[in-house]
Amino acid sequence: MNHSPNKGTIYLIPTTLGDTNPLEVLPLSVKKIVEQVNFYIVENEKSARAFIKSISPGKSQPKLHISLLNKFTDPLEIPDLIDPCLEGHDVGILSEAGCPGIADPGAEVIKYAHQKNVKVVPLVGPSSILLAMMASGLNGQSFAFNGYLPIDKDLRKKEIKRLEKLSLDANQTQLFIETPYRNDGFLSDLISTLIKAYKNLCCL
Amino acid sequence: MNHSPNKGTIYLIPTTLGDTNPLEVLPLSVKKIVEQVNFYIVENEKSARAFIKSISPGKSQPKLHISLLNKFTDPLEIPDLIDPCLEGHDVGILSEAGCPGIADPGAEVIKYAHQKNVKVVPLVGPSSILLAMMASGLNGQSFAFNGYLPIDKDLRKKEIKRLEKLSLDANQTQLFIETPYRNDGFLSDLISTLIKAYKNLCCL
C-alpha cells in the first residue's frame, strides 16, 4: 500500500502499568518516537503526560496536543482524531496500560486511519496477554484472547465451561482478563467450574 | 506459588529477526538478563550465539552452556533441559525469532518447569502476532492465533472459510502465520476465498 508522504504516521505506543520504570521494559525505539511526536490520542490525559515525561523528561509539555479517546468518546468524533495526521503531523496513540489496539478503544481509530490510507506503525512493548501466554507453558501454536467474561455469576460459569470445552476439543489455549478487585472471586469460579469439568472428563 | 530459592529461574528472552538492531526493539531488562545468564535453551546454536554477542559483546562465549530444543528434539529429553535450573543456575530460553512459548517449541519446557515448581519470567520483546493485531484496526477485545493453516490448497481454503465464518459469527479477529516463500500464494488464496465469502454474504 502507498501512503501519502504528505500525511503523518500513526505510532502505536505501548505503556507501562504502576511503578514500573518505563525504560526497563520499553525499547529505545519507543523513547525515540515519544521524543519526536507532539500529537497524541490518549485514554487519560494526566497519566499520558506523566508517561511522556518519564520517557522524555526534557520534552516541552505545553507543546503537546492531546485528544481523548475512551469509553465516553462519541464514535462520530473518531474521524476528527486523525485530523492532525491528515495535516502532516505524526500522531501517537497511548492506551492506559499495555499495547494500543489490544483490549482498548484504539482499534477504532486505527481502522479509520487505514481507510484514509494513513501509515500505522506498531511499537514493541509489554502486553499482559502475550506475557501470560509465554509464561503459561500451554499451547502457543493456537490461542484465543476473550477479553472480559460476563460479570453475572451464572453467565460467567457458563462461559468458562464453553471455553473449557473449546480448549479440550481444539487444544486452543483460552486467555481472558479481569479487574484486580474481582480477581479472587473470579479465580474461585474458575477453580470450582473447571474442577467439575475435570471430574466429568475423568468419569468418561 | 512458592519457588525454591535453591532453584534457578527460567527467563523467556524474545529475539529479533533479520538485520534489526536488537537494542532498538528490546528493552534494557533483556540486556541485563542476557549479561547475567550463562545457561541457554535455544532452537539454533549459531544464531543464538550471534544474538547474545550483539546484546552483550563483552560476554565470554566459551562460558556459555547451550542446549538445543527444536523440532528434532526427542520429547523424552525435555526434562533434562532444565537440569541446570534444578542445580541452581538461571536459564534463558531463546527462540529463533519472536517470543519463546509463542508458536515455537519452548512451551513444552515451560510446562515441565511449572511441574517442577521452577519460577518462569517472561521478558518483553517483539511478537509479529501482537504487532499485527495492534496495527490491524480489527477487534482487539477478542482474537485468535491459529498458527499455520494447512498447506494442501483445498484443506487450506476450507480452513480459511471456517475462520471467516467464526470471524463473522463471533466478531473474533483471526490471525495466522505463513513462511515468506509461501506468502504470495497464500494471499491469493485468502483474496479469492474471502471475496467469495463476502459475495455470498452480500447475497443473503
Side-chain angles (χ1 to χ4, degrees):
Chain A
M1 197 188 295
N2 292 319
H3 301 103
S4 163
N6 300 323
K7 291 176 189 164
T9 294
I10 292 194
Y11 292 99
L12 310 180
I13 304 173
T15 52
T16 47
L17 183 66
D19 297 330
T20 313
N21 173 3
L23 294 177
E24 278 284 314
V25 292
L26 293 172
L28 202 55
S29 52
V30 171
K31 184 177 165 68
K32 284 185 183 171
I33 294 299
V34 170
E35 281 174 351
Q36 168 190 322
V37 170
N38 282 318
F39 289 78
Y40 288 90
I41 300 169
V42 310
E43 275 191 79
N44 177 296
E45 179 164 350
K46 194 179 165 194
S47 54
R49 283 190 183 272
F51 173 77
I52 292 168
K53 195 171 181 180
S54 71
I55 291 273
S56 176
K59 197 172 180 77
S60 163
Q61 290 271 335
K63 279 193 186 163
L64 296 179
H65 301 259
I66 293 186
S67 305
L68 287 183
L69 171 67
N70 51 40
K71 58 185 176 182
F72 305 112
T73 305
D74 184 339
L76 293 173
E77 287 173 16
I78 284 177
D80 298 343
L81 291 173
I82 69 160
D83 276 351
C85 218
L86 303 179
E87 290 158 10
H89 301 285
D90 291 340
V91 172
I93 302 185
L94 289 175
S95 72
E96 258 314 85
C99 297
I102 309 289
D104 86 345
E108 287 302 314
V109 187
I110 300 162
K111 191 175 166 187
Y112 184 74
H114 286 307
Q115 288 167 13
K116 289 286 173 184
N117 207 16
V118 167
K119 189 175 175 184
V120 176
V121 175
L123 300 180
V124 172
S127 159
S128 58
I129 301 164
L130 193 84
L131 291 167
M133 185 61 238
M134 285 166 72
S136 69
L138 301 174
N139 187 13
Q141 312 275 359
S142 172
F143 60 87
F145 172 64
N146 301 283
Y148 290 88
L149 303 196
I151 295 172
D152 175 90
K153 218 171 170 67
D154 289 339
L155 289 177
R156 198 195 315 183
K157 288 194 169 188
K158 205 174 155 188
E159 180 65 1
I160 294 170
K161 280 179 187 162
R162 188 187 73 81
L163 295 175
E164 170 75 349
K165 189 174 182 318
L166 199 56
S167 162
L168 291 170
D169 291 350
N171 190 21
Q172 185 188 54
T173 304
Q174 302 299 324
L175 297 132
F176 27 84
I177 197 165
E178 190 49 281
T179 49
Y181 70 90
R182 281 206 205 101
N183 265 351
D184 287 352
F186 190 57
L187 277 174
S188 300
D189 285 345
L190 279 178
I191 291 168
S192 63
T193 311
L194 296 176
I195 281 178
K196 277 181 201 162
Y198 178 73
K199 279 184 186 161
N200 287 339
L201 190 73
C202 294
C203 295
L204 289 179
Chain B
M1 196 187 293
N2 292 319
H3 300 103
S4 162
N6 299 324
K7 290 178 191 166
T9 294
I10 291 194
Y11 291 98
L12 309 181
I13 305 174
T15 52
T16 47
L17 183 65
D19 297 331
T20 314
N21 173 3
L23 294 177
E24 278 286 312
V25 293
L26 293 171
L28 202 57
S29 51
V30 171
K31 185 177 163 67
K32 283 184 182 170
I33 294 299
V34 169
E35 281 173 351
Q36 169 190 319
V37 170
N38 281 318
F39 288 77
Y40 289 89
I41 299 169
V42 309
E43 273 190 83
N44 176 296
E45 180 165 352
K46 194 180 163 192
S47 55
R49 282 189 183 272
F51 172 77
I52 293 167
K53 197 172 180 179
S54 71
I55 292 272
S56 177
K59 197 173 180 77
S60 163
Q61 291 271 336
K63 279 192 184 163
L64 296 178
H65 300 258
I66 292 185
S67 305
L68 287 183
L69 171 67
N70 52 39
K71 58 185 174 181
F72 305 111
T73 305
D74 184 339
L76 293 174
E77 288 173 14
I78 284 177
D80 298 343
L81 291 172
I82 69 161
D83 276 351
C85 218
L86 303 180
E87 290 158 10
H89 302 285
D90 291 340
V91 171
I93 301 186
L94 290 175
S95 71
E96 259 312 86
C99 296
I102 310 289
D104 86 343
E108 287 301 314
V109 187
I110 300 162
K111 190 174 164 185
Y112 185 74
H114 287 306
Q115 289 168 13
K116 288 287 173 183
N117 206 17
V118 168
K119 189 176 176 186
V120 176
V121 175
L123 301 180
V124 172
S127 158
S128 58
I129 300 164
L130 193 84
L131 292 166
M133 185 60 238
M134 287 165 70
S136 70
L138 301 174
N139 187 12
Q141 312 275 0
S142 172
F143 60 86
F145 172 63
N146 301 282
Y148 290 88
L149 303 195
I151 295 171
D152 176 89
K153 217 171 171 66
D154 290 338
L155 288 177
R156 200 198 311 184
K157 288 193 170 190
K158 203 174 156 189
E159 180 65 359
I160 293 170
K161 280 179 188 163
R162 188 185 73 81
L163 295 175
E164 171 73 350
K165 190 173 181 319
L166 200 56
S167 163
L168 291 169
D169 292 350
N171 189 22
Q172 186 188 54
T173 304
Q174 303 299 323
L175 297 131
F176 26 83
I177 199 165
E178 189 49 280
T179 49
Y181 69 91
R182 281 204 205 104
N183 265 350
D184 288 351
F186 190 58
L187 277 173
S188 301
D189 285 346
L190 279 178
I191 291 167
S192 63
T193 311
L194 297 176
I195 281 178
K196 277 182 204 162
Y198 177 72
K199 281 184 186 160
N200 287 338
L201 190 72
C202 294
C203 295
L204 288 179

